[in-house]
Amino acid sequence: MFLALGKASGSCSLWGHVGVTGAPALWAGDPAGQARPGPVSRGRASLFGKPRRTWLHPPRSSDPAKSSRESAGGRARESAAAAARAPGLPPSQPVLAGLPSRRVSPRERRLRVSARSRSGGAEKWAGAGHRPLNSPLPSCLGRRRVRLRSSAEIPSVGPLRFLFQVFVRGYALQMHQLQVLNKAKYGPMWISHLGPKKHVNLASAPLLEQVMRQEGKYPVRNDMEQWKEHRDQHGLAYGPFTTEGQHWYRLRHALNQRLLKPAEAALYADALNEVIDDFMTRLDQLRAESATGDEVPNVAHLFYYFALEAISYILFEKRIGCLERSIPEDTVAFVRSVGLMFQNSIYATFLPKWTRSLLPFWKNYLDGWNVIFSFGKKLIDEKLKEVEAQLQAGGPDGAQVSGYLHFLLTSGQLSPRDTMGSLPELLMAGVDTTSNTLTWALYHLSKNPEIQAALHEEVVGVVPAGQVPQHKDFAHMPLLKAVLKETLRLYPVVPINSRVIMEKEIEVGGFLFPKNTQFVLCHYVVSRDPSIFSEPESFQPYRWLKNSQPDAHRIQHPFGSVPFGYGVRACLGRRIAELEMQLLLARLLQQYEVVLAPGTGELKSVARIVLVPNKKVGLRFLKRQH
Ligand code: HEM
């Protein structure tokens, strides 16, 4: 899906993408870093300001999702306890390294030295009133007094080193592997720099939990600067990815309707099944054209067109011909433009602005967006005309609200301009996400025939071959859901996400960060954390089924794998995406046994914003005998 090259993160992040250059500098929000008067900041030292030695009672969280935290609290505490056993800073990392000695009283220095020598190092010093970096939520501390640590203790990757890693060592398309490397080297928290900006990278589930549970009413990912530049140049409204604050809240409130809840997503099952009928026909055509009569040489490509057709039909109520033998020219141009925009966005993000008039990247990037928006505009204009015609024919009650766009345009909550700014963003979000997840899922099912056989049995046990699965059927297909969860654990569509906590200072991992701190959430490495998931590199859907895994006693941390994000800013299309993938997989498994085509071999993932296979995935679809 989209592409976010998170400049903010000093890394590529879907959401961060493109972004962040104009983000408030990490430490800018609290210029002097001074503790503020008032109940929250009183007595606290701001990490990036003058580090005063202070003590605090951890604040009672102002978490808006309090109830969900409470329900997850037991699991969180247990899993956090498990995670706390994981290494924090590497033993070689002196915990107090870098703490400016002039700010430490001689008495405290003496105490620290004696504490370290008594305890033998970092872990024990942290235990003496401090917490390891991946320690659980502040709430776990109860009313204990805790001394916050200095940012100087956090390991740091300098700007030159980062550029070296990305452009010389070739991590530009391996940003997810860079998380693995950095976590192994620095532990679960490190600071990266890009230019003057600092980003706090978090690579353990308890740390992610601490940030995400403290977000406010209007969570911010990053400033999405390059996306906004395009919208500004063309006078377009911002959509859900690009906008913030109250405008975002209003937009989300309107867009959530008819999309967010499972029951609302269920309304689109018939539309999705109609697209799936055409997909199955197209699949059979491609099989028939192959040398073996059953092979699709590039399933990711086929799923891409399927996902585009499906989301367009849901959003715009219009079929756009992606599954026809001959795809309409404007659809082909749209697909090409999405590629153009993504491919160029990495350069548009990282190269300095003065290069824009000299190099082709920025222009290509904008051209890509322009085609994407004109494609959306055409579909919206058509729908507006249709609604107008209905109104003229039938008076104020004449418009028959049918699908999503129709609803948005007639509900009176979104102007046509806002709709125009939002729907292309939804369209972009709805294609690479589901298509790549489907590709990875089928790849792993092909490599694990016994899991595939069990899944086939489950599916036909609920919906026998020849019948079309419906939304209600998936309540009886736990393994199918587990396969998708496991796929998204291994290949989180957004391997790097981010949050800027704008409204308040925030305590994370025993450090107090000022307002506007940019946190980079390293989901890829977290969802492969061996302290949370046993044999984390292997595909084991059964781990998601209660009581059916050998180590069922293990408690998975609620933030170990959060592929759709968290809180009020979580994925808008989650329920649609789940339904779409379940309907398609169920139908495929009803009818085919899927095996790897010779020559496909082992796949690796490449971070082209989403995690995509490093080569074409050829699969054979062997018709099942019913
Ligand atoms: C496998 C499928 C998908 C996955 C794994 C996925 C994942 C995500 C994630 C991780 C986020 C960021 C959440 C956060 O920051 O907490 C997100 C945001 C979003 N997703 Fe999805 N997504 C998927 C499919 C879709 C689809 C089909 C749509 C379109 C209908 C969609 C629309 C959006 C939108 C509009 C946002 C931005 C929400 C906001 O900022 O308010 N996604 N998605």
Side-chain angles (χ1 to χ4, degrees):
M1 113 150 191
F2 1 42
L3 28 101
L5 293 178
K7 208 166 183 177
S9 51
S11 59
C12 277
S13 120
L14 195 40
W15 323 94
H17 352 223
V18 201
V20 209
T21 42
L26 184 51
W27 281 266
D30 193 357
Q34 286 154 359
R36 284 171 176 57
V40 173
S41 58
R42 192 184 307 126
R44 285 172 149 198
S46 173
L47 248 193
F48 303 110
K50 191 176 163 193
R52 291 189 278 140
R53 281 182 295 120
T54 49
W55 300 84
L56 88 161
H57 294 296
R60 294 225 178 271
S61 170
S62 59
D63 175 10
K66 189 163 177 259
S67 56
S68 73
R69 177 177 66 237
E70 279 164 1
S71 63
R75 273 187 309 152
R77 270 190 295 281
E78 288 173 75
S79 50
R85 291 194 295 275
L89 287 168
S92 59
Q93 178 69 37
V95 164
L96 294 171
L99 196 70
S101 57
R102 63 187 160 78
R103 293 185 173 124
V104 178
S105 73
R107 176 175 150 66
E108 189 189 5
R109 203 174 309 124
R110 273 198 307 280
L111 283 172
R112 287 178 173 186
V113 169
S114 68
R116 288 175 77 189
S117 53
R118 271 200 314 275
S119 66
E123 297 286 350
K124 293 199 185 158
W125 169 257
H130 293 264
R131 283 172 289 147
L133 289 179
N134 55 357
S135 63
L137 278 172
S139 58
C140 308
L141 295 169
R143 305 292 294 171
R144 267 200 305 138
R145 296 186 133 203
V146 176
R147 184 164 44 201
L148 296 172
R149 289 178 289 177
S150 159
S151 66
E153 296 176 38
I154 306 175
S156 171
V157 185
L160 285 179
R161 178 157 182 77
F162 173 70
L163 290 176
F164 177 79
Q165 287 175 325
V166 173
F167 292 111
V168 181
R169 295 201 58 200
Y171 280 100
L173 293 178
Q174 293 292 326
M175 299 305 289
H176 56 311
Q177 296 298 353
L178 199 53
Q179 292 176 17
V180 177
L181 187 87
N182 283 336
K183 182 174 183 182
K185 187 161 181 195
Y186 302 116
M189 186 191 283
W190 67 93
I191 290 176
S192 54
H193 299 73
L194 199 77
K197 292 181 189 143
K198 302 187 186 192
H199 308 119
V200 180
N201 296 262
L202 304 176
S204 82
L207 291 177
L208 298 193
E209 178 170 24
Q210 287 180 36
V211 168
M212 299 197 92
R213 288 200 192 274
Q214 294 187 69
E215 67 184 16
K217 188 175 177 189
Y218 310 122
V220 173
R221 265 186 226 107
N222 56 44
D223 75 348
M224 310 287 293
E225 186 190 350
Q226 281 76 13
W227 283 39
K228 283 181 181 163
E229 273 192 71
H230 168 264
R231 313 301 190 263
D232 292 345
Q233 278 189 17
H234 295 83
L236 295 164
Y238 293 164
F241 281 103
T242 28
T243 196
E244 305 299 347
Q246 290 190 5
H247 183 249
W248 167 80
Y249 192 82
R250 197 176 57 76
L251 209 56
R252 260 308 285 251
H253 182 259
L255 293 169
N256 282 352
Q257 296 169 53
R258 300 266 174 127
L259 212 56
L260 196 64
K261 296 186 189 144
E264 291 164 340
L267 300 172
Y268 303 102
D270 288 346
L272 286 167
N273 275 327
E274 188 185 320
V275 178
I276 291 170
D277 287 343
D278 292 348
F279 172 88
M280 300 302 268
T281 306
R282 183 74 193 124
L283 178 77
D284 280 338
Q285 286 166 359
L286 290 169
R287 289 169 67 238
E289 286 163 15
S290 73
T292 53
D294 53 25
E295 187 176 329
V296 176
N298 186 353
V299 287
H301 187 255
L302 180 60
F303 283 145
Y304 186 94
Y305 279 98
F306 160 72
L308 177 56
E309 186 71 28
I311 195 69
S312 302
Y313 197 29
I314 287 174
L315 297 177
F316 299 103
E317 307 155 56
K318 179 119 200 268
R319 297 297 303 267
I320 58 169
C322 291
L323 297 168
E324 288 166 16
R325 269 183 193 277
S326 168
I327 301 172
E329 187 42 45
D330 54 350
T331 301
V332 173
F334 172 83
V335 172
R336 208 183 300 122
S337 301
V338 174
L340 191 72
M341 190 276 287
F342 282 152
Q343 284 149 22
N344 286 280
S345 64
I346 186 163
Y347 303 103
T349 304
F350 285 114
L351 290 173
K353 286 190 179 173
W354 59 262
T355 61
R356 288 180 180 178
S357 56
L358 303 175
L359 300 172
F361 307 117
W362 182 248
K363 183 180 175 304
N364 290 344
Y365 170 77
L366 294 181
D367 287 349
W369 271 125
N370 290 341
V371 177
I372 293 165
F373 270 86
S374 57
F375 186 79
K377 183 171 184 313
K378 187 173 145 246
L379 294 169
I380 292 171
D381 286 347
E382 283 172 14
K383 178 56 71 180
L384 274 171
K385 275 193 199 134
E386 193 185 297
V387 174
E388 259 167 41
Q390 285 176 357
L391 286 171
Q392 273 175 9
D397 299 326
Q400 301 299 309
V401 175
S402 49
Y404 189 63
L405 176 57
H406 209 142
F407 169 74
L408 291 180
L409 290 171
T410 53
S411 69
Q413 295 181 47
L414 278 193
S415 65
R417 184 170 182 272
D418 275 338
T419 309
M420 181 60 225
S422 294
L423 284 207
E425 290 191 5
L426 264 70
L427 187 65
M428 301 278 302
V431 184
D432 299 72
T433 45
T434 46
S435 62
N436 277 295
T437 307
L438 285 166
T439 303
W440 287 116
L442 274 197
Y443 166 70
H444 279 289
L445 288 172
S446 315
K447 287 183 39 156
N448 293 276
E450 60 308 325
I451 298 177
Q452 188 180 156
L455 185 54
H456 169 248
E457 205 173 303
E458 177 181 274
V459 170
V460 295
V462 180
V463 189
Q467 292 180 21
V468 175
Q470 297 298 331
H471 178 261
K472 63 177 173 32
D473 296 323
F474 300 114
H476 310 290
M477 295 189 198
L479 183 56
L480 179 62
K481 291 181 178 171
V483 162
L484 287 168
K485 275 190 181 173
E486 182 67 347
T487 306
L488 284 165
R489 180 188 71 79
L490 283 169
Y491 310 97
V493 156
V494 183
I496 305 173
N497 200 353
S498 61
R499 283 288 188 275
V500 185
I501 304 297
M502 310 278 286
E503 38 304 81
K504 58 181 180 185
E505 296 170 316
I506 167 174
E507 187 202 340
V508 180
F511 297 91
L512 183 65
F513 296 92
K515 286 180 181 181
N516 287 331
T517 295
Q518 173 93 48
F519 292 98
V520 177
L521 315 175
C522 299
H523 289 296
Y524 178 84
V525 70
V526 170
S527 64
R528 291 175 182 235
D529 183 340
S531 73
I532 300 179
F533 300 104
S534 58
E535 299 177 49
E537 303 298 321
S538 69
F539 180 76
Q540 295 183 19
Y542 289 103
R543 72 170 88 238
W544 296 102
L545 300 182
K546 284 193 196 106
N547 305 326
S548 62
Q549 52 179 342
D551 53 356
H553 61 279
R554 284 176 80 103
I555 294 147
Q556 285 163 7
H557 193 286
F559 283 73
S561 175
V562 278
F564 292 96
Y566 171 79
V568 285
R569 196 131 202 187
C571 178
L572 173 63
R574 171 179 186 164
R575 301 304 176 187
I576 288 290
E578 287 173 339
L579 180 64
E580 178 186 325
M581 295 187 296
Q582 289 164 356
L583 286 169
L584 184 64
L585 278 183
R587 191 89 77 92
L588 278 173
L589 290 159
Q590 258 184 345
Q591 301 192 20
Y592 300 101
E593 182 189 349
V594 187
V595 297
L596 278 186
T600 295
E602 285 291 310
L603 299 182
K604 291 200 167 63
S605 56
V606 174
R608 264 181 230 281
I609 308 311
V610 292
L611 293 179
V612 301
N614 63 336
K615 55 183 173 177
K616 284 184 185 166
V617 186
L619 295 178
R620 295 177 65 198
F621 292 81
L622 312 179
K623 199 96 186 159
R624 289 187 186 271
Q625 306 304 321
H626 303 304

